[in-house]
């Protein structure tokens, strides 16, 4: 699985950052390419919450069902796919002071094997790294504008 990591400094409190980042309603507003992030069942903001995600990267639309597999209130949220496009992400929010924090992300993905996977990778991979950079800037801008 390919993994991309980022370290984002944000001029907002860790509490506000985690609340915004971990709210499923906000995901399409800041996550590059995500066109929908819909809960499957009741959202408890805890382990086991499940979401249907749709992401448009270049000419491809990728669909994935993801579960929250790690949840530490106020600091860590980790998601992993259980169906569809294989992906994982782990966000850790660390306070620097009352008005600043750092968000670290690990984003992993894997294409299916065979010719289909190779063709998909060739089309989509150029957009992934660009998308992570856009996500960093958008998340920072949304939080610092609040």
């Amino acid at each position: 699985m390919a993994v991309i990591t980022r370290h984002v400094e944000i001029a907002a409190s860790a509490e506000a950052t985690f609340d915004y980042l971990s709210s499923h309603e906000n995901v399409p507003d800041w996550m590059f390419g995500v066109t929908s992030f819909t809960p499957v069942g009741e959202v408890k903001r805890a382990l086991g919450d499940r979401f249907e995600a749709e992401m448009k990267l270049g000419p491809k639309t990728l669909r994935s069902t993801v579960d929250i597999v790690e949840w530490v209130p106020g600091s860590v949220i980790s998601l992993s796919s259980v169906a569809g496009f294989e992906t994982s992400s782990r966000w850790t929010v660390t306070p620097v002071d009352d008005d600043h924090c750092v968000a670290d992300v690990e984003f992993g993905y894997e294409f299916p094997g065979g010719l289909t996977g190779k063709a998909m990778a060739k089309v989509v991979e150029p957009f992934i790294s660009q998308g992570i950079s856009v996500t960093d800037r958008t998340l920072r801008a949304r939080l610092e504008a609040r």
Side-chain angles (χ1 to χ4, degrees), residues 23-80:
S23 175
H24 73 278
E25 294 99 343
N26 297 329
V27 173
D29 293 336
W30 61 266
M31 177 78 72
F32 178 83
V34 173
T35 56
S36 68
F37 198 79
T38 309
V40 176
E42 180 186 355
V43 175
K44 295 175 262 169
R45 292 184 68 142
L47 284 175
D49 282 358
R50 178 168 285 184
F51 302 91
E52 294 291 338
E54 192 169 279
M55 177 179 273
K56 182 137 178 72
L57 293 174
K60 292 293 290 178
T61 298
L62 305 173
R63 290 173 182 82
S64 191
T65 302
V66 297
D67 283 356
I68 294 179
V69 295
E70 182 180 12
W71 179 274
V72 178
S75 65
V76 178
I77 182 170
S78 182
L79 299 110
S80 185

Side-chain angles (χ1 to χ4, degrees), residues 56-121:
K56 182 137 178 72
L57 293 174
K60 292 293 290 178
T61 298
L62 305 173
R63 290 173 182 82
S64 191
T65 302
V66 297
D67 283 356
I68 294 179
V69 295
E70 182 180 12
W71 179 274
V72 178
S75 65
V76 178
I77 182 170
S78 182
L79 299 110
S80 185
S81 61
V82 294
F85 179 61
E86 192 170 334
T87 182
S88 65
S89 62
R90 184 174 194 270
W91 292 83
T92 304
V93 178
T94 307
V96 173
D97 60 33
D98 289 345
D99 299 319
H100 296 84
C101 68
V102 171
D104 291 295
V105 64
E106 294 174 10
F107 178 74
Y109 63 93
E110 189 163 330
F111 295 103
L115 294 175
T116 302
K118 286 181 182 180
M120 186 184 299

